[in-house]
Amino acid sequence: MKNIESKLKEKRVFKPSEEFVHQANLNSRTLDKLIKKYKTDSSLFWKELAVNEITWIKKFTSVCTGRSPFFKWFEDGTLNISANCLDRHIETDKKDKIAIKHVSEDNQINSLSYNELFSKVNSFSSGLKNLGLKKQDRVIIYMPTIPESITAMLSCARLGLIHSVVFAGFSSESLKDRINDCSAKVVITVDSFKRGGKFIQAKETVDRALAMGCPSIQHCIVYKNSSEEINFDESRDIWWDKIIDTNDKIITPEEMMAEDLLFILYTSGSTGKPKGIIHSSAGYLLNCLLTNKWVFDLKDDDIFWCTADIGWITGHSYVVYGPLALGSTILIYDGAPTYPDGDRFWKIIDENQVTVFYTAPTAIRTLMKLGDELPKRHKLDSLRLLGTVGEPINPEAWIWYHKTIGKENCPIVDTWWQTETGANMIAPLPGIYPIIPGTCTKPLPGIEIGVVDSEGNEVKDTKQGGNLVIKKPWPSMLRGIWGDEERYIKTYWEKYDNRFYITGDTARKDKDGNVWIMGRSDDVVNVSGHRLGTMEIESALVSHKYVAESAVVSFPHDIKGEAIHSFVVLRDNFKSYAGKQFADELREWVKIKIGSIAKPDRISFSTNLPKTRSGKIMRRLLRNVARGEEISGDTSTLENENILNQLKDIH
Ligand code: WTA
């Protein structure tokens, strides 16, 4: 994050317009009341919100119970999430309101009303039910962001099945690992989908994953999304259209306990193996609902476009569960941002009168680089609020977003949160806070954060950073890591004796209490807003039979925020392969092992890695090399100093 911090020259404070303040869901008065309530009785604060926001089957009597780090929220209450997203709206005049407006890459528009989505979910739920799946069985969804993948998520929720959406850009090997980790019984996919004008063969990837050995899988459900030919194994594969019930049968939503799991979402950590983050039902839904109201200020007539794929947490909370539970209209687009032209996003906004737009800084930087002429072709006057997520936004990109897209008329909410937190934790309240570009401002009502030193004491110095922690449990917090309690405790709690949740980020708090995210404190890199474990990429590289050793670090990148530099040592017999051609082969290898998002931008070959005399890789030096910096600090412990020159040969 060093480059981002050093470019921080923007000191202007941007206030929301009178007009915005006037209509905002939260104003200073309501915020004061909320804060007062939380301070007086935090349990009552959450209780009232949960009673008001969620439709319960059976009301809860307890609010937050359990002992750190295992908390339970609204434990004896029962509900169904799909009923909260659908059934409760179709009983009102929202019945005919558009729930999903799908824009395809070819600009085909498909709008579904709440009633139509309800029918779709019921008929697919009926099909899933007939397969004999039981409550809390696991289902993998390997699909692009289309109405059917959302239907699949809501159908799982309706039947109490735990879904795990795997981003459809992941490789067959990554998919296989996830299927096996949670012993999924069913995988739902599409034949293929289009991106950037090309067909991506999703079913083929699933076939390869299953061929590697996924003993728990009983069926593969395929939605016909294109006219591409696919292989079809009659004993295992089923067409979506064959199992759905077209008789308008209503499937009663399962009565789920508040703490029953809604989904598993895999994310990268500091070891090679991805973590299956688990989320509950009621607590998760509550923070999703609240943040869609408070941060995105959603109103009945908004058209909300969050560009995230459903394969990420942002897609779960701000495409599917939050907005639909609120009864909002969401826009989804499953094509490439620059297809057929660099103004595609702006065109979609104008043509569909999008009012609230939420995207990643990487996308903003990419589109900014293409020049102002492209957004200027469009009016963009339907927009009233903009948001960013996933990585720090540099002031240059913030100002461009504010001026060129928001026409200086839209508050920008820079939302900090994680797969683990389930929903926004630190974000501006758009009708209240003045905003300085680069800070995600303050924690939301009910969220208590800290910036602490290695002892767990609050860092008082406003210039100095510390570890960002969350000090009190919150409803949408992760409930653990699937099948790995020990890793859950070790990763998130142990360092401070279970007193705080450790985010893994470093941050500083300025004198006004605004939070500035500085970066990660662990071996996780953030490339284009995607979290990748350096160990995950290292294991992929060393699984190539020519590779003996590898170390991966990140370096600042103008568009992606951070990019990957891999240092590779080849086995003795293969040393002659060092060079551009083999570097490209290794990139392809990583793509096969993990997926395109993990392909190293740079590869350097050397005969060894810089190590201490005790054999520890000196990553600090590798970071210096990758960032083109002077080698910093002491190198006297370095065993093999001549290595440093070799490392600078980059492919
Ligand atoms: C980073 C994405 C700066 C952070 C929702 C966090 C951010 C990780 C911001 C989580 C932000 C997310 N400013 N950094 N507004 N939002 N991050 O799990 O490092 O994919 O820990 O969740 O992204 O990534 P994840």
Side-chain angles (χ1 to χ4, degrees):
M1 297 309 110
K2 205 159 171 248
N3 70 324
I4 286 162
E5 283 277 291
S6 63
K7 282 188 201 159
L8 257 183
K9 293 199 190 80
E10 184 58 64
K11 287 275 167 13
R12 271 179 295 169
V13 177
F14 294 81
K15 290 196 178 134
S17 67
E18 283 297 313
E19 195 191 344
F20 193 95
V21 173
H22 193 68
Q23 59 80 59
N25 284 343
L26 264 195
N27 57 36
S28 307
R29 206 167 25 85
T30 42
L31 175 64
D32 287 347
K33 270 198 199 154
L34 279 171
I35 293 176
K36 200 163 158 214
K37 185 162 283 165
Y38 181 76
K39 280 197 175 139
T40 326
D41 187 344
S42 61
S43 198
L44 183 67
F45 167 91
W46 288 119
K47 180 182 164 185
E48 286 183 4
L49 291 169
V51 168
N52 293 338
E53 300 292 336
I54 293 176
T55 303
W56 296 90
I57 299 175
K58 184 176 140 255
K59 291 259 158 60
F60 56 91
T61 58
S62 62
V63 179
C64 180
T65 50
R67 262 186 61 194
S68 187
F70 300 100
F71 298 99
K72 293 182 161 46
W73 284 86
F74 319 117
E75 195 186 356
D76 57 347
T78 65
L79 78 168
N80 182 280
I81 301 287
S82 99
N84 271 271
C85 292
L86 298 168
D87 308 43
R88 69 168 167 176
H89 305 314
I90 61 153
E91 288 153 12
T92 70
D93 54 9
K94 285 209 168 142
K95 187 169 178 246
D96 297 317
K97 179 179 173 173
I98 304 289
I100 304 178
K101 191 165 189 191
H102 173 218
V103 180
S104 74
E105 199 171 70
D106 300 333
N107 214 25
Q108 301 294 319
I109 298 199
N110 177 16
S111 294
L112 291 170
S113 68
Y114 270 93
N115 201 34
E116 285 164 332
L117 183 61
F118 175 76
S119 300
K120 227 171 144 68
V121 168
N122 276 287
S123 49
F124 189 62
S125 297
S126 164
L128 275 182
K129 202 171 175 174
N130 290 339
L131 294 179
L133 295 166
K134 292 189 306 296
K135 260 189 190 178
Q136 304 281 278
D137 276 346
R138 273 79 58 206
V139 172
I140 298 276
I141 300 174
Y142 186 77
M143 300 170 91
T145 304
I146 53 175
E148 287 69 26
S149 47
I150 298 175
T151 300
M153 291 166 81
L154 292 170
S155 302
C156 287
R158 196 163 191 88
L159 301 176
L161 307 172
I162 302 172
H163 63 65
S164 183
V165 183
V166 176
F167 173 59
F170 274 119
S171 69
S172 45
E173 205 160 324
S174 297
L175 176 61
K176 173 212 57 167
D177 289 345
R178 287 155 173 76
I179 293 174
N180 288 337
D181 187 73
C182 68
S183 313
K185 287 196 175 158
V186 168
V187 51
I188 309 173
T189 190
V190 293
D191 43 2
S192 68
F193 60 94
K194 235 178 174 181
R195 215 171 145 93
K198 285 199 282 253
F199 281 106
I200 316 280
Q201 308 296 336
K203 171 66 164 53
E204 224 173 270
T205 309
V206 174
D207 286 345
R208 275 200 306 270
L210 300 184
M212 284 181 224
C214 297
S216 57
I217 289 289
Q218 297 170 353
H219 302 287
C220 171
I221 302 173
V222 190
Y223 175 71
K224 194 162 175 47
N225 188 50
S226 71
S227 47
E228 295 277 285
E229 287 281 311
I230 55 162
N231 280 331
F232 206 78
D233 173 351
E234 297 286 347
S235 67
R236 182 198 68 200
D237 301 342
I238 318 168
W239 286 110
W240 173 293
D241 279 353
K242 289 270 158 59
I243 60 163
I244 56 169
D245 190 314
T246 46
N247 297 324
D248 279 338
K249 192 159 115 193
I250 291 178
I251 302 294
T252 312
E254 284 291 329
E255 181 169 359
M256 304 305 294
M257 299 301 297
E259 280 294 315
D260 279 340
L261 297 186
L262 178 63
F263 64 86
I264 307 174
L265 188 58
Y266 286 88
T267 187
S268 295
S270 47
T271 67
K273 190 171 172 265
K275 307 176 271 198
I277 302 298
I278 52 178
H279 277 287
S280 72
S281 297
Y284 170 74
L285 187 68
L286 180 59
N287 283 114
C288 283
L289 273 160
L290 293 174
T291 49
N292 274 281
K293 264 191 185 169
W294 293 349
V295 180
F296 295 101
D297 197 50
L298 289 189
K299 307 271 173 14
D300 215 21
D301 53 357
D302 273 315
I303 299 182
F304 184 22
W305 182 17
C306 162
T307 65
D309 189 281
I310 50 149
W312 312 117
I313 190 70
T314 311
H316 283 58
S317 307
Y318 299 99
V319 176
V320 184
Y321 291 113
L324 294 181
L326 266 185
S328 305
T329 297
I330 55 166
L331 184 135
I332 55 173
Y333 167 63
D334 59 325
T338 50
Y339 189 88
D341 240 323
D343 66 338
R344 187 63 198 268
F345 271 12
W346 320 132
K347 193 166 180 286
I348 293 177
I349 290 175
D350 263 17
E351 284 179 358
N352 300 284
Q353 294 291 290
V354 171
T355 57
V356 178
F357 180 64
Y358 189 29
T359 195
T362 295
I364 299 168
R365 288 190 290 262
T366 307
L367 300 172
M368 177 173 84
K369 273 242 154 114
L370 302 177
D372 289 0
E373 190 266 327
L374 292 166
K376 281 192 177 143
R377 287 183 196 163
H378 306 278
K379 284 204 188 107
L380 302 176
D381 57 354
S382 55
L383 290 171
R384 64 179 198 89
L385 179 76
L386 301 172
T388 73
V389 60
E391 43 178 328
I393 178 160
N394 48 314
E396 291 82 348
W398 197 102
I399 297 291
W400 183 81
Y401 199 29
H402 171 71
K403 277 195 174 150
T404 316
I405 308 306
K407 311 288 182 202
E408 303 187 31
N409 201 27
C410 305
I412 298 182
V413 289
D414 174 355
T415 60
W416 178 91
W417 60 297
Q418 308 177 297
T419 305
E420 292 86 341
T421 67
N424 298 166
M425 295 281 105
I426 312 176
L429 294 169
I432 305 173
Y433 295 167
I435 299 170
I436 312 167
T439 164
C440 47
T441 70
K442 299 187 172 117
L444 295 171
I447 306 300
E448 289 189 48
I449 61 135
V451 172
V452 299
D453 62 20
S454 57
E455 304 298 311
N457 299 316
E458 199 69 39
V459 174
K460 294 270 159 43
D461 183 344
T462 56
K463 296 255 177 327
Q464 213 191 329
N467 293 321
L468 179 66
V469 297
I470 306 182
K471 293 183 154 176
K472 290 276 154 57
W474 67 99
S476 66
M477 66 194 297
L478 75 165
R479 297 304 195 263
I481 295 177
W482 178 264
D484 202 343
E485 200 171 289
E486 199 184 318
R487 190 173 177 194
Y488 168 66
I489 299 171
K490 247 191 153 84
T491 313
Y492 302 108
W493 300 93
E494 203 169 53
K495 184 177 163 68
Y496 298 117
D497 304 322
N498 297 354
R499 279 184 297 152
F500 321 128
Y501 162 79
I502 303 162
T503 66
D505 279 10
T506 54
R508 66 179 182 87
K509 235 196 244 177
D510 68 18
K511 60 177 182 357
D512 303 315
N514 287 314
V515 178
W516 300 78
I517 304 294
M518 296 165 74
R520 298 282 306 182
S521 61
D522 54 11
D523 293 326
V524 171
V525 293
N526 194 331
V527 179
S528 303
H530 299 316
R531 266 167 78 170
L532 296 165
T534 50
M535 290 264 292
E536 212 178 330
I537 306 167
E538 286 164 9
S539 352
L541 287 166
V542 294
S543 69
H544 191 289
K545 65 174 189 267
Y546 295 0
V547 177
E549 233 186 331
S550 135
V552 168
V553 298
S554 71
F555 62 94
H557 189 280
D558 275 357
I559 301 225
K560 301 178 178 185
E562 281 184 278
I564 299 164
H565 191 141
S566 301
F567 296 89
V568 172
V569 177
L570 295 178
R571 285 178 194 279
D572 283 348
N573 293 346
F574 304 106
K575 291 240 183 296
S576 59
Y577 284 87
K580 177 160 181 352
Q581 198 181 342
F582 186 61
D584 287 341
E585 198 178 316
L586 275 181
R587 288 190 178 95
E588 280 309 300
W589 178 256
V590 174
K591 180 177 163 189
I592 292 168
K593 290 277 154 186
I594 306 176
S596 278
I597 52 170
K599 272 177 62 178
D601 296 76
R602 294 181 187 161
I603 297 182
S604 302
F605 296 101
S606 57
T607 50
N608 205 337
L609 293 172
K611 290 189 185 142
T612 60
R613 284 166 215 280
S614 60
K616 208 164 174 276
I617 298 174
M618 295 178 79
R619 286 173 185 277
R620 171 174 56 84
L621 300 189
L622 294 176
R623 271 192 284 269
N624 288 153
V625 174
R627 293 169 192 193
E629 301 162 346
E630 284 286 305
I631 302 290
S632 65
D634 188 10
T635 53
S636 63
T637 52
L638 181 63
E639 207 203 37
N640 38 4
E641 207 158 343
N642 61 348
I643 286 297
L644 291 177
N645 286 328
Q646 287 183 24
L647 299 174
K648 293 177 186 157
D649 191 15
I650 296 167
H651 299 282

